[in-house]
Amino acid sequence: MISVYVLFLISSLVSILLYNVPKMAVKVGFGLSAVSCFYGMSHFVISMGKNDSFVMFGNFLFSPNFALTPLGNFFSFVVVFIGFASSVYGMSYAKEYINKANIGVFACLFNLFILSMLLVISANNVFCFIVLWELMTLVSSFLILVNDGKGTLKAVMIYLGIAQVGAFCITCGLLLMAYYAGSAEFSAFANLAMPLPVCVAIFILFLVGFGSKAGMWPFHVWLPLAHPAAPSNVSALMSGVMIKVALFALVKFTLFLPISIYFGLAILILGAASSLFGVLYALCQHDYKALLAYHSVENIGIILLGFGTGIYGVAAGNATLGAIGFLAGCYHVVNHAIFKGLLFLCAGSVLHATHTRDMDVLGGLAKKMPWTSVGMFIGIMGIAALPPVNGFVSEWFTYQGMLQGAMSEGIFTRYIFTLSVVALALTGVLVGMHLKLYAVIFAGTPRDKKIWENAKESPVGMILGMLILMIGCVGFGIGANFIVSYIMQAVNSITPSTYSANLGATLVTSPLGSAISTPLIAIVLCSTMILPFLILAVMKANRTKPRETDPWACGFKYSSRMQMTGGPFTGDLRKVVDWLFKGHKKIVTNGYFSPVEYHNHPQDIWWSLIYKPIIEFIKMLAQKIGVFQNGYANVYTLYILIYLCVILAVSYFVI
Amino acid sequence: MQTILLMIFQVVVIVLIAPLFDGMARKLRAKLQSKQGSDFFQTYRDIIKLFKRNRTVPKCSHWVFRLAPFLLFATSSAILAAIPITYSSNMAFGAYSDIFVILYLGALLRFVFGSASMDSGNPFAATGGSREQMIGVYVEPVMIMCLIVVMLAAKTSNLVQIQQMVKDGIIGYQIPSFAVASIAFLWCMYVETGRKPYDLAEAEQELQEGVLGEYAGADLGLVQAALILKQFAMIGLFLTIFEPWNFSNPFLAIIVFVLKAGVFYVAAVFIDNFGPRFKIASSLRKNALAALAISFVALTLYVVGV
C-alpha cells in the first residue's frame, strides 16, 4: 500500500512542477493520476481480504502509522476506481480550464485529493486522522475554487463552515474515546469500556460530524451548493467517493463503541429520512448538477439503511443480520460511486458542450451527443435500480436485510424496519421520475436552437472516462456474485458469520433464503426482447421506413416551446408535497400581448429552519463581541496573557 | 431448462389469449352502455390492422422513442414470465420469480414509458408520462406495504415458495394481517391494470395513455399489446399471492390461470363502467390515502404480532 501512496505523492509533485506548461500538465498530470489509480486498483483488488500496515519513517510528533483492514481495502478500491475514471476523463476535460486556472496546480490538487482520501481511510491514530481529515476538506475546497464562478466563494464558505462544525464534533468524539482508551492509537480502541451517557454522546457527535460530511439529512445543505460549483471530474470524486469516506469512518468508529440496538435504529431513521427528503428535493431542481447533488443525499440514505441494519445486527448479537446489512451498505457504496460518478461525468460533458447548467433550455441533445446520452441513460437506470444494472442488486440486498430485521422482536424495532422498507420503496418510485434528467436534456426537440447547434460530442478522453464507468455499471450488476464474494471478505472482517452470499455460479442469496440471479434476469429480458420482433415477422407487419413528422399539436403549428420541461413533469408531485418546498409562486403579467412569466422556486426549508437561526445568532453575537477588537496590539496581548493565566489556573486547581 | 421452456410457453399462451379477453371486456362494456359493440375478436383485428399500417415518428425523436414499443413489450412479457403459473413446483426458479424483480421490472416499464413520452416532443404525451409516474407514486407504497406483510409472513421473497405456502395453508387468510393486506393489494392491482376510475383511457389523447399519441402502425399495435399484457401480469401477481389455487400440471394450470385472470379482467368492466372518473391530483390522492390506511392497518397487525 505504501507504493500506491508514494505514487500519488510523486504524481502530485510532478504536476505542480508543470505549472508553467499547462498543455503538458493536462496530459501528464491527469495521466499520472490515471496510472497511479490503475496501479492502486490492481493492488487493492489483489489484497482485498488482507490486513496491511506501515509506520512512517522518521520521528514525527505522533509517530504516524497507517493500517488497512479488509474494509479499508474495499473503500480504498472504490476511491481509486472512481479516481481512475475521472482522471482519464480529466485528461481531455481539463483543457477547458487552461485559460481559467493553472492546470499544474489543478492536477496536483486532484492527485493530492485522492491521496488524502486514501490516507484518511488508513490513518491509525487520532492525530493523523484529524489532520488528514482537515487536509481532505481543504484540498477539496481548493478544487471547488478551480471553477471560479458566480457563487463559488459562497459555496466554499458554506462547505467549509459545515465541515468545520463536523470536524469539531469528530475531534471531540475521538478525544473522548482516546481518553477512555488511554491511548490515541486506534488499535487500542477495541473493546472500549465507557459509561453509557458518554457512549451516547460520542455516537451523537459522530453522527453530526461524519453525517455532515456524508451529506446526511439534515446536514445536506452544502452538497447542492458545492458539487455544482466544482469541475465535473472533481464533483464525481466528491460526490462519488469523498462522502463515502465519511461513511467508512462512521462505521469504523461506531463499531469501536459498546453499541446498543438504538444506534442502529437511529441510523435507520436518519437513512430513511435522508433518502426521502433527498429524492424529493432532487425532483424539483432545474440545475442538473444540483439535482445530482441532492441524489447523493438520497443514496447516502440508502447506504445508511444498509449500515444501520448492520449495526443493529451487531448490537443485537445477530451476526447474520449484521453481515447482510454491511454487505448491502458496502455494495451500495461501490454502486453509488460508479453511477453517480458516471452521471457527474456525463453532466460535465453536457456542460462542456452547452455551457449552461439550466436543463430547461437544453433538449434534443441525444442526436448531437450519442455517447453522453447513452451514459446518462445507463446511469439513471442504475440510480433508479432498474433490474439488469447495478443499483438493483444492492437495493435488493438492502430490502432483504431490512426484512430480516423486521422479523426481530419488539414492536418499536419492527415498526422502524418495516417503515424503512416503505421509505426505500417510495424512494425507488420517486427516483424513477428522474428520467426527466435524461428526457429534458437529451430527448425531444431543442429548446434553444443556438445552444443545440453549437453542441458537439465530447473528445475521446472524456468518452473513455464515461465508458469505463458504463461498463462498471453493467458489470457490477450482472457480475453480482463475483462482487459479492469480494465484499464478503471485507464484511466478514467486521462480523464473522456463517452466511455466504453467493450460491452456485450465478445466484446471490440472502439469509432469508431468497435468491436472485442477475445474469438470468438479463437473459430473460434479452429473450423477451426477441418476442416482439418475432411477432412482427410472423404477422408480416409493415416495416417500411417510418415517415418523419412534427409532433401532433392539436392541429396547430408545432413549436418546441410546447413540449414538456422539467418543472411541469414533476408538477403534480410538487403540489402534493408543497409543505416541504414552500415554493415562492409568482405570476407576472405585462399586458395582454407579452408572455406571462410564471415563477415557482422551491426552497430547502431546512436551511431556514436550522441554519438560518444559527447564522443569525452568531452574527448577533459577533456584533456584541466586536467591541473587544479595538485595534490596539497591546490590548490583544493582554487578552492572551489573561487567557494563559486562566488556563494555567484551571489546570492547576481543577484537574 | 424445462422451467425456461415452461416460462416461454406461458408467456406465448398469454400473449395469444390476452386480446380475446380484452375483446370480451369491450363487448361487455358496450352492452352495459346500451350499445351494440363489436364481437370478441375485435382486439385481434385492431392489432392486425395496425401492423399493416404505415408508421410515422416525430422528427426529433431518437432511439429511446423508436425502441420503446419493443422494450415495453419485452418488459411486460418479462413480468409475465416471472409469475409462477406453469412452473409452480420449481422452487429454484425464485431466482427470477422474486417479488422485488417483479416490482422493479414494473418500474422499468414505467421508466421506458415516461422516457418515450418525453422523447416524442408531444406535450400531451409527456403529460401522460408524468401522470403515469404520479400513479406509481400513489400505488407503490401501498403495494410494498401489502407485499412486506406477505413476505414477512412467508419469511422469503421467493414468489414460487410464497405461492406454495399459501396453497399448503401455511400462510393465508387465517393470518389477519394477510387478509387485510389482500384488500389493499386488490386496490393496487386494479389501479395498476390502468382501468377507468384511475385512468381515463377513453380520452386517450390527453390523459394517462397520452404517451401513445405519437405512435402509429406496428409501433402502436405493439404498445397496446404490451399494455394488455401488463394488465394480465398485474392480475396474475394478485392471483399468485392471494388466490393461488391451481393444478400443478402446467397445461391445466395455464388454462385455469387464464380463466381466473380473464374473469377478473372482464369483471373490472363493472367498476370501469359505473365508477366515477377521478382527477389525478385530488380524488386519486384521497383514494390512495384510504388504501394506504388499510395497508397500514395490515402492517400494524403484523407488527403487533397478530
Side-chain angles (χ1 to χ4, degrees), chain A residues 367 385 395 399-400 414-415 429 438 443-445 507 514-515 517 528 539 542 544 547-549 552 554 558 569, chain B residues 51-52 54-60 62 66 74 94-96 98 104 119 121 123-124 130 140 157 214 300 302-303:
Chain A
K367 292 200 167 163
E395 282 205 15
Y399 276 120
Q400 296 292 340
R414 282 183 175 197
Y415 252 131
V429 192
Y438 176 82
T445 56
L507 291 173
S514 342
S517 149
T528 48
M539 306 275 282
N542 185 343
T544 47
R547 189 159 53 88
E548 298 209 328
T549 57
W552 182 72
C554 290
Y558 182 78
F569 189 75
Chain B
F51 278 154
K52 301 291 176 209
N54 275 323
R55 295 177 301 152
T56 65
V57 291
K59 237 178 271 164
C60 57
H62 63 286
R66 291 168 202 219
Y96 181 69
D98 186 279
Y104 277 86
D119 193 25
F124 300 114
S130 152
E140 205 83 348
S157 63
E214 288 299 324
T300 309
Y302 166 77
V303 166

Side-chain angles (χ1 to χ4, degrees), chain B residues 262-284:
Chain B
V263 168
F264 259 85
Y265 189 86
V266 174
V269 169
F270 282 95
I271 315 177
D272 213 0
N273 204 49
F274 299 119
R277 288 186 164 186
F278 286 162
K279 271 169 80 185
I280 209 156
S282 52
S283 308
L284 180 54

Side-chain angles (χ1 to χ4, degrees), chain A residues 567-589:
Chain A
F569 189 75
T570 54
D572 281 334
L573 188 80
R574 276 164 66 170
K575 267 184 219 146
V576 175
V577 286
D578 199 37
W579 54 274
L580 197 61
F581 296 148
K582 293 270 187 295
H584 287 304
K585 274 191 196 137
K586 205 171 78 182
I587 300 169
V588 185
T589 46

Side-chain angles (χ1 to χ4, degrees), chain B residues 18 26 45 47 60 70 87 135 153 157 177 221 259 264 300:
Chain B
R26 284 166 71 175
R45 281 200 287 272
I47 291 177
C60 57
F70 302 97
Y87 55 93
I135 287 183
S157 63
S177 53
L259 287 178
F264 259 85
T300 309

